């Protein structure tokens, strides 16, 4: 159990009450919880799952493997083929399940894990090789994690993107650009509400960056578009937040779109460049 708050007296009362009802041990400041390691410094709070990664690599015999610089190759072309060679389904599902949990503190593997998750019902040797590639990438830096840095402000900013035809099996869109914008707004509203409950009131509009100008135009234009009837409710939702100055949707260049590594496989240069901007680092790396 994690107890958090700014009233130490109330926290002590709660801990005392719980100790009467249950057999408990106070472990002090939060350092480790459900596999997630927490480190604090003057720069901020760092979350990682280093031990979890090392245990996973050890159990799979990948501790001595050759590291990879990205979790998935840029043009992977992964799909289900009629004459594919099957692999051990139970092992595949178990490994992917563990990688999904790891994604909580490793958004750098989120896209790769989402791809291999699509073949849980019928994995092939090629799909297993893709899973092994993720493990090779984890070997390159098992201590990577999320740094929640102090920026000296309470501005909320987000990036939204979608891969229109990333699914080679059925060619359905991974997500529509507009739908992804709606999901982005919902996530940002949740963060805004959480901050308010903690006593921090946002004064400025939240910025949701998008690299699709047509999507931004639809969001800003209150006139009905025939080609957007299927997202009419979403369009009104976005427009309402824009008119009330809750959000703004500035355009961002594709090469500066931080959500790219979450929706598609990119080059190793673009991948590493995005990690720093997303707050993904490694406090265990030698300096």
């Amino acid at each position: 159990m994690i107890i958090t708050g700014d009233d130490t007296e109330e926290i002590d009362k709660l801990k005392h009450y719980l100790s009467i009802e249950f057999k408990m041990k106070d472990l002090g400041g939060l350092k480790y919880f459900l596999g997630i390691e927490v480190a604090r410094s003057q720069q901020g709070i760092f979350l990682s799952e280093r031990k979890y990664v090392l245990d996973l690599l050890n159990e799979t015999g990948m501790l001595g493997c050759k590291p990879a610089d990205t979790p998935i190759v840029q043009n992977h072309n992964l799909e289900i083929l009629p004459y594919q060679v099957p692999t051990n389904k139970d092992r595949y599902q178990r490994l992917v399940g563990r990688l999904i949990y790891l994604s909580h503190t490793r958004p750098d593997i989120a896209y790769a894990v989402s791809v291999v998750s699509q073949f849980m019902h019928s994995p092939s040797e090629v799909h297993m090789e893709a899973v092994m590639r993720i493990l090779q990438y984890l070997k390159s830096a098992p201590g990577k994690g999320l740094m929640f840095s102090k920026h000296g402000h309470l501005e909320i900013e987000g990036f939204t993107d979608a891969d229109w035809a990333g699914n080679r099996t059925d060619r359905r869109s991974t997500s529509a650009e507009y739908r992804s914008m709606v999901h982005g707004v919902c996530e940002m509203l949740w963060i805004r509400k959480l901050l308010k409950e903690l006593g921090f009131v946002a004064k400025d509009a939240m910025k949701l960056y998008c690299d699709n100008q047509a999507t931004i135009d639809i969001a800003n234009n209150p006139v009905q578009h025939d080609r957007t009837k299927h997202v009419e409710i979403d369009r009104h939702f976005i427009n309402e937040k824009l008119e009330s100055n809750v959000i703004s949707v500035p355009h961002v260049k594709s090469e500066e779109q931080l959500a790219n590594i979450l929706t598609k496989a990119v080059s190793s240069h673009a991948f590493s460049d995005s990690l720093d901007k997303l707050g993904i680092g490694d406090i265990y790396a030698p300096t």
Side-chain angles (χ1 to χ4, degrees), residues 255-268:
E255 58 268 24
E256 297 174 3
Q257 171 59 273
L258 298 188
N260 275 340
I261 70 169
L262 304 177
T263 59
K264 57 182 71 71
V266 299
S267 67
S268 58

Side-chain angles (χ1 to χ4, degrees), residues 61-80:
M62 296 291 283
L63 265 179
C65 72
K66 182 180 178 181
D69 55 359
T70 59
I72 191 169
V73 295
Q74 189 170 1
N75 300 306
H76 54 79
N77 297 332
L78 289 171
E79 57 186 317
I80 296 177

Side-chain angles (χ1 to χ4, degrees), residues 25 35 37 45 64 70 72 94 104 122 142 145 153 159 162 172 175 190 222 249 256 263 283:
K25 182 180 180 181
E37 301 166 49
I45 299 175
T70 59
I72 191 169
R94 187 166 58 252
H104 286 125
S122 182
H153 65 78
F159 291 79
R172 293 176 184 170
S175 175
W190 181 85
V249 284
E256 297 174 3
T263 59
I283 63 173

